[in-house]
């Protein structure tokens, strides 16, 4: 039969044993002696050193861990904003380890103190210092059995752990025994934040960005956006989560605040606009400047492109608007300049204005147009002429980054609604030669490894359905005519060479052929290892 909580493991009455040393009589005793932190003994000696001589022999010793059996890890959730549930203050907040609620303060006349008395909950942890206290007695508990809770609140990764993330495919289990793969966990859908979730998932699986956030020094001195993004990424890759999904509540709140509510939750926003805003904001917050390689964002995604620009009225006269534009590089109106880029935009073929024989009786196309990714990339080969705001332009890639972000321009805004181009983009997932887009002239100082560079797909953000603005317009005339607007992402895992489909909380392993079933919107390509080793 187990001993009662306040009964000692040895038959010694400390109150009637004055011959024992004072250090033994007043030491902190735990019913879980194997889990004691050795540092606790030293702190206990210092705490009682001042009143050792004046203490009464009849004083009952404090027993650490006497309330640890009331800790309920199933009720703990540290994903939400750390504010007091009563005063809504974020100063000196404690979490009750019994019910999981947040309360302010620890002393008398505080919300945590009253909660401990009214609800008979006694174990609290400070969310900033990660120190555990027993209330209302107000003494600190140091026990190794609480280290898993501290690790969930603030996960830490060593250099060896970070370097093995892409080579380990070992699954973990949450408190309910559900298996999950660290890094491939679902994110809660708070309202219409699916476009935020896919951007977070995409950046989380870019190794340089992920590794920087996992080992960011002095995280408390970073901006609030960087703190919350780093905290979310660390929990996503933590191998000992209490539950196999995470809520991005804190980061979403900061995105709304920092962007001045440009990215809201009332309607599903544009994932590409959020991605560009987030990359530029992170670049500035991490100490970046206009110089190249000044931040991890520029070192990862920044390339260089050469642009040849000429006003259309100075180009060769055309008989009609359908005739192709010809540019004369010898004219004085032609401008040559180089500019850095973080993303490459790809224009889809325009939708036909009139229906044809392939359309059904309702005016909907029975066949969906298709285009190859290689064809879309020819925009950046230096020979394709593009009209843009009264100018004819040619784009030529000058240098390639290690990771390339491609944006397929599917949405076009009109005066009345946002229209979506349903053209299917066909692409291979491996060995796409971006090096062929670089100039082939001997004058250009292009490294040989760049001219032969190939890239592999690591993540693919897709959009299903129609934009919500178009849904609301068409719902009055044809209910249920358009599918629900939603973003999802396909992510590649290097260790097991498998693809995973992540749609908010849903994470499932899929075959590579399933990637082409959704409308591709944003792709992130990684330079292959062969080309990287040559560098």
């Amino acid at each position: 039969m187990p001993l009662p909580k306040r009964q000692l493991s040895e038959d010694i009455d400390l109150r009637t044993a004055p011959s024992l040393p004072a250090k033994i009589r007043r030491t902190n005793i735990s019913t879980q002696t194997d889990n004691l932190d050795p540092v606790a003994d030293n702190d206990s000696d210092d705490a009682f050193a001042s009143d050792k001589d004046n203490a009464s022999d009849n004083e009952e010793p404090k027993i650490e861990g006497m309330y640890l059996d009331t800790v309920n890890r199933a009720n703990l959730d540290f994903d939400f904003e750390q504010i007091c549930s009563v005063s809504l203050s974020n100063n000196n907040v404690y979490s009750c380890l019994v019910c999981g609620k947040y309360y302010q303060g620890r002393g008398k006349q505080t919300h945590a103190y009253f909660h401990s008395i009214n609800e008979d909950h006694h174990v609290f942890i400070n969310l900033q210092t990660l120190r555990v206290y027993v209330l209302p007695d107000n003494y600190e508990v140091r026990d190794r059995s609480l280290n898993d809770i501290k690790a969930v609140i603030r996960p830490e990764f060593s250099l060896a752990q970070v370097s093995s993330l892409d080579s380990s495919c070992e699954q973990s289990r949450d408190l309910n025994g559900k298996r999950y793969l660290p890094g491939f966990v679902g994110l809660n859908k708070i309202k219409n934040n699916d476009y935020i979730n896919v951007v977070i998932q995409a950046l989380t699986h870019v190794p340089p960005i992920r590794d920087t956030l996992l080992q960011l020094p002095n995280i408390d001195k970073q901006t609030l956006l960087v703190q919350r993004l780093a905290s979310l990424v660390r929990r996503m890759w933590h191998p000992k989560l209490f539950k196999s999904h995470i809520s991005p509540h804190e980061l979403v709140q900061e995105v709304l605040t920092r962007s001045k509510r440009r990215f809201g939750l009332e309607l599903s926003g544009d994932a590409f606009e959020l991605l560009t805003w987030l990359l530029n904001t992170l670049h500035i917050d991490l100490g970046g400047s206009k110089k190249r390689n000044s931040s991890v964002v520029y070192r990862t995604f920044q390339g260089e492109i050469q642009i040849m620009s000429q006003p259309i009225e100075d180009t060769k006269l055309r008989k009609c608007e359908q005739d192709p534009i010809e540019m004369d590089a010898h004219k004085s109106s032609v401008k040559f300049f180089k500019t850095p880029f973080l993303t490459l935009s790809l224009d889809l073929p325009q939708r036909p204005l009139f229906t044809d024989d392939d359309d059904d009786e309702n005016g909907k196309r029975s066949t969906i147009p298709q285009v190859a990714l290689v064809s879309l990339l020819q925009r950046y080969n230096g020979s394709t002429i593009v009209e843009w705001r009264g100018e004819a332009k040619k784009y030529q890639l000058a240098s390639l980054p290690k990771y390339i972000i491609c944006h397929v321009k599917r949405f076009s805004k009109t005066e009345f609604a946002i229209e979506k181009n349903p053209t299917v983009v066909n692409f291979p997932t491996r060995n796409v030669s971006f090096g062929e887009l670089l100039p082939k002239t001997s004058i250009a100082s292009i490294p040989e490894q760049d001219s032969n560079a190939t890239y592999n797909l690591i993540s693919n953000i897709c959009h299903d359905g129609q934009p919500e603005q178009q849904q609301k317009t068409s719902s009055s005339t044809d209910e249920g005519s358009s599918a629900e607007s939603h973003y999802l992402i396909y992510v590649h895992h290097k260790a097991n060479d498998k693809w995973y489909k992540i749609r908010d909380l849903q994470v499932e392993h899929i075959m590579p052929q399933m990637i082409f079933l959704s409308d591709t919107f944003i792709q992130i390509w990684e330079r292959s290892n062969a080309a990287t080793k040559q560098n």
Side-chain angles (χ1 to χ4, degrees):
M1 178 179 298
L3 295 175
K5 294 180 182 178
R6 296 182 178 272
Q7 183 174 347
L8 302 178
S9 59
E10 297 180 1
D11 296 330
I12 299 177
D13 189 354
L14 298 181
R15 294 173 294 181
T16 60
S19 59
L20 293 176
K23 180 178 180 180
I24 299 180
R25 285 188 279 116
R26 293 179 176 84
T27 188
N28 292 335
I29 302 175
S30 174
T31 55
Q32 300 176 356
T33 56
D34 294 337
N35 295 328
L36 275 178
D37 190 341
V39 183
D41 295 336
N42 299 331
D43 294 343
S44 301
D45 293 341
D46 297 335
F48 289 101
S50 60
D51 60 347
K52 185 184 300 184
D53 299 332
N54 299 329
S56 173
D57 292 340
N58 295 329
E59 180 182 359
E60 184 176 357
K62 296 179 181 179
I63 302 179
E64 280 193 12
M66 60 181 300
Y67 294 111
L68 294 185
D69 57 346
T70 63
V71 175
N72 190 350
R73 288 168 172 78
N75 293 335
L76 303 183
D77 190 352
F78 303 107
D79 294 339
F80 294 97
E81 191 173 3
Q82 298 177 358
I83 59 175
C84 176
S85 59
V86 179
S87 65
L88 302 181
S89 173
N90 60 355
N91 184 29
N92 198 24
V93 179
Y94 288 78
S95 174
C96 176
L97 297 184
V98 181
C99 63
K101 295 182 179 179
Y102 295 165
Y103 295 96
Q104 185 182 18
R106 177 165 54 92
K108 296 182 179 179
Q109 306 300 322
T110 60
H111 300 296
Y113 184 87
F114 291 138
H115 177 75
S116 65
I117 296 176
N118 297 334
E119 302 296 335
D120 197 25
H121 297 171
H122 301 283
V123 188
F124 293 78
I125 185 171
N126 188 296
L127 297 177
Q128 292 296 326
T129 63
L130 301 184
R131 301 177 70 174
V132 182
Y133 296 89
V134 170
L135 299 180
D137 297 339
N138 198 11
Y139 65 87
E140 184 178 359
V141 176
R142 300 192 179 187
D143 197 293
R144 292 177 180 173
S145 63
L146 301 174
N147 289 347
D148 60 333
I149 299 178
K150 298 178 181 180
V152 170
I153 299 176
R154 193 177 301 167
E156 295 182 357
F157 292 82
S158 63
L159 182 61
Q161 290 175 326
V162 172
S163 59
S164 64
L165 291 179
D166 292 329
S167 59
S168 174
C169 56
E170 182 178 356
Q171 293 186 342
S172 302
R173 290 182 181 269
D174 60 5
L175 292 180
N176 297 323
K178 183 179 179 180
R179 291 183 176 272
Y180 72 94
L181 190 61
F184 297 79
V185 296
L187 297 177
N188 283 343
K189 185 176 182 181
I190 303 172
K191 198 173 181 181
N192 290 310
N193 65 313
D194 53 299
Y195 72 105
I196 301 179
N197 289 346
V198 293
V199 171
I200 296 173
Q201 294 281 7
L203 292 180
T204 300
H205 291 88
V206 178
I209 303 295
R210 177 200 64 195
D211 297 348
T212 300
L213 295 175
L214 291 181
Q215 293 187 307
L216 193 64
N218 301 324
I219 188 173
D220 295 335
K221 298 181 180 179
Q222 302 291 336
T223 62
L224 196 56
L225 179 66
V226 174
Q227 290 184 29
R228 294 187 172 181
L229 179 60
S231 177
L232 180 61
V233 172
R234 293 181 182 189
R235 290 199 299 270
M236 292 176 65
W237 287 94
H238 188 50
K240 296 182 179 179
L241 294 175
F242 291 165
K243 52 186 180 181
S244 57
H245 61 274
I246 299 174
S247 175
H249 179 81
E250 282 190 313
L251 180 59
V252 171
Q253 288 291 104
E254 182 59 22
V255 168
L256 296 179
T257 304
R258 188 74 180 272
S259 65
K260 298 180 180 180
R261 307 196 69 84
R262 175 184 173 186
F263 305 103
L265 298 178
E266 297 300 326
L267 295 175
S268 181
D270 192 304
F272 178 71
E273 292 182 2
L274 174 64
L275 177 61
T276 54
W277 175 86
L278 187 58
L279 288 178
N280 287 284
T281 305
L282 289 177
H283 168 70
I284 297 174
D285 290 353
L286 294 175
S289 62
K290 294 182 179 180
K291 296 181 179 179
R292 189 169 185 176
N293 299 329
S294 58
S295 73
V296 65
V297 176
Y298 276 15
R299 289 193 299 270
T300 304
F301 297 114
Q302 189 183 56
E304 195 174 37
I305 192 170
Q306 179 176 308
I307 300 177
M308 175 182 175
S309 176
Q310 184 179 14
I312 292 182
E313 58 268 16
D314 292 341
T315 59
K316 185 177 179 180
L317 295 178
R318 296 179 293 172
K319 296 181 180 179
C320 60
E321 294 184 357
Q322 285 72 22
D323 292 343
I325 301 177
E326 295 183 6
M327 300 179 64
D328 189 355
H330 300 287
K331 286 191 175 182
S332 60
S333 59
V334 176
K335 298 179 181 178
F336 291 90
F337 59 94
K338 289 185 178 182
T339 181
F341 71 90
L342 292 179
T343 61
L344 295 178
S345 295
L346 307 178
D347 292 328
L348 292 174
Q350 294 183 357
R351 301 177 62 181
L353 297 177
F354 304 98
T355 60
D356 51 20
D357 296 338
D358 294 333
D359 295 348
D360 57 17
E361 58 183 4
N362 295 326
K364 297 182 179 180
R365 296 183 63 85
S366 57
T367 59
I368 301 177
Q370 301 184 19
V371 64
L373 177 67
V374 178
S375 300
L376 300 180
L377 290 175
Q378 297 307 309
R379 172 176 178 170
Y380 299 98
N381 62 1
S383 59
T384 303
I385 301 177
V386 180
E387 291 188 49
W388 177 252
R389 295 181 179 180
E391 291 184 338
K393 294 187 176 182
K394 289 183 180 181
Y395 299 95
Q396 173 74 72
L397 286 179
S399 65
L400 296 174
K402 186 175 181 181
Y403 294 85
I404 297 179
I405 300 177
C406 293
H407 166 226
V408 179
K409 300 173 65 175
R410 289 196 174 274
F411 301 106
S412 58
K413 294 182 180 181
T414 63
E415 185 178 355
F416 303 100
I418 297 179
E419 298 181 353
K420 178 183 177 182
N421 191 327
T423 302
V424 176
V425 179
N426 297 321
F427 54 90
T429 59
R430 295 178 181 272
N431 299 325
V432 175
S433 180
F434 282 83
E436 294 181 354
L437 303 176
L438 296 173
K440 300 299 187 295
T441 59
S442 58
I443 302 176
S445 57
I446 303 300
E448 182 180 356
Q449 59 268 20
D450 283 353
S451 60
N452 299 325
T454 59
Y455 286 73
N456 300 328
L457 185 67
I458 61 174
S459 61
N460 185 32
I461 296 178
C462 300
H463 181 271
D464 283 344
Q466 295 295 333
E468 291 195 9
Q469 291 86 345
Q470 184 172 343
Q471 284 189 23
K472 291 188 176 182
T473 304
S474 61
S475 60
S476 57
T477 58
D478 187 9
E479 294 185 0
S481 60
S482 57
E484 178 187 0
S485 173
H486 202 95
Y487 284 97
L488 56 99
I489 184 172
Y490 298 94
V491 185
H492 181 251
H493 188 31
K494 294 182 181 179
N496 54 18
D497 195 21
K498 294 181 179 180
W499 283 90
Y500 292 87
K501 174 184 175 182
I502 304 178
R503 176 170 174 168
D504 294 331
L505 291 176
Q506 302 176 4
V507 181
E508 57 180 334
H509 167 247
I510 63 167
M511 300 298 294
Q513 295 79 2
M514 303 288 289
I515 302 176
F516 308 98
L517 298 181
S518 301
D519 296 333
T520 298
F521 188 52
I522 301 174
Q523 295 180 332
I524 299 182
W525 297 83
E526 179 185 28
R527 185 181 295 217
S528 62
N529 293 333
T532 303
K533 291 179 180 179
Q534 292 179 4
N535 291 340

